[in-house]
Amino acid sequence: MLVMWCTRTALGRLQRIAPCTVTGFNRAMSTLPKVYVTRKVPPDGLDILRKSGQVQFEMWDSDDPVPRVELLKKVKGCEGILCVLTEKIDAQLLNAAGPNLKVVSTMSVGFDHLSLDELKKRGIRVGYTPDVLTDSVAELTVALLLATSRRLIEATHEAKTGGWGTWRTLWLCGHELANSTVGILGLGRIGVAIAERLKSFKVKKFIYTDVAPRPELANMIEAEYVSLDELAKQSDFLAICCALTPETYGICNWNLFSKMKKNAIFINTSRGGVVNQEDLYEALSTGLIAGAGLDVTTPEPLPTHHPLFTLKNCVILPHIASASYTTRNSMSALAADNLLAGLRGETMPKELKL
Ligand SMILES: NC(=O)c1ccc[n+]([C@@H]2O[C@H](COP(=O)([O-])OP(=O)(O)OC[C@H]3O[C@@H](n4cnc5c(N)ncnc54)[C@H](O)[C@@H]3O)[C@@H](O)[C@H]2O)c1
């Protein structure tokens, strides 16, 4: 019988809770690779780890992040780490883990929280969760785009608070997708999935930019490759779908906003770091662009007193693009499968090539 001890936070105190048990293994627990799971992950992934009989794992059994000090202690001697996007996996953490560490498996498709150079240098393999979240993120992006462009949050507020008088000709008018040009910055899996969904709204034209043309994906949605400048100039709706990298950090700044149309709607479901938020605030508050919908910000959570929250034309969501039960479970299952395959020295279902 394998016994796993789980820890959880309770008012900041560490508390040991009843052990979870998994049966059916012959190997002594102490000989199994040690794994640390940095957050309470959805049940599908946990079941895979429990039933594998391949690892002894300890989990930070909480919805809130494990304190860094605790994390640094817990990873010591681990062969595997299953993490989420709030944990910085950097040199300090890898040093704390020590030379046994073979695999880091993140329950995310984004990998900007991982120091890839440090991982590569140490020969540590990395698993991530592309594809399984694409539909959920694309769906949410469309919802956010419509909520922003058709001013849904303002409208429900007006309806609830007495602002709804008679039917008025231009009251709460927004911008429609029909006959529009939709621009995509970063035409990857999610960018294509967003365009596939938007097609049915009678979009006139899709344009995109990326590090280079991606004809195989662009052909699927009949999108035209343009420069970043042209993307800004031509788009009625601009969806940001690129990875956060040193090159894309702050790429959505005054330079970009100042080239955009007055009626343009800016949507970001990638990472907060791609946007210069001071510049975005200026662009929104001065009417340089019509509206913005953000699922991601810097920092997260965005403080409630942040100026962006004062703007009616800015819709802010708390990083929920992949938040469907199905998707979060699939992400945890894939993260667990990646971890186990990596520890066995086998091909991971989804490995990030370093
Ligand atoms: N909001 C959320 O909850 C959520 C969920 C999933 C993914 N994401 C974010 O979405 C991003 C995209 O996911 P994906 O699965 O489509 O990834 P992907 O790798 O398929 O697509 C990313 C695209 O960005 C492009 N890109 C990279 N650098 C660029 C640059 N300098 N200029 C222009 N384009 C550049 C890549 O070439 C690629 O085509 C992830 O990196 C992640 O950060 C956010």
Side-chain angles (χ1 to χ4, degrees), residues 133-142 190 194 269 295 321-323 327:
L133 46 60
T134 299
D135 287 333
S136 172
V137 175
E139 188 173 291
L140 189 285
T141 307
V142 173
I190 292 170
I194 291 168
T269 51
D295 181 50
S322 67
T327 289

Side-chain angles (χ1 to χ4, degrees), residues 109 137 188-190 210 214 241-243 248 269-271 295 319 321:
V109 66
V137 175
R189 291 169 287 252
I190 292 170
D210 207 300
R214 304 200 66 178
C241 306
C242 59
T248 60
T269 51
S270 66
R271 285 287 181 267
D295 181 50
H319 201 148

Side-chain angles (χ1 to χ4, degrees), residues 1 3 25 27 29 33 42 97 136 143-144 188 203 208 213 233 265 267-268 271 273 283 337 340-341 351:
M1 182 150 74
V3 181
F25 309 114
R27 293 174 66 188
M29 178 181 155
S136 172
L144 179 57
V203 167
Y208 75 103
K233 282 183 198 158
I265 301 289
I267 301 295
N268 183 20
R271 285 287 181 267
D337 285 336
L340 295 175
E351 181 163 1

Side-chain angles (χ1 to χ4, degrees), residues 292-309:
L294 312 173
D295 181 50
V296 285
T297 58
T298 311
E300 291 183 4
L302 193 66
T304 50
H305 59 267
H306 194 282
L308 283 173
F309 277 122

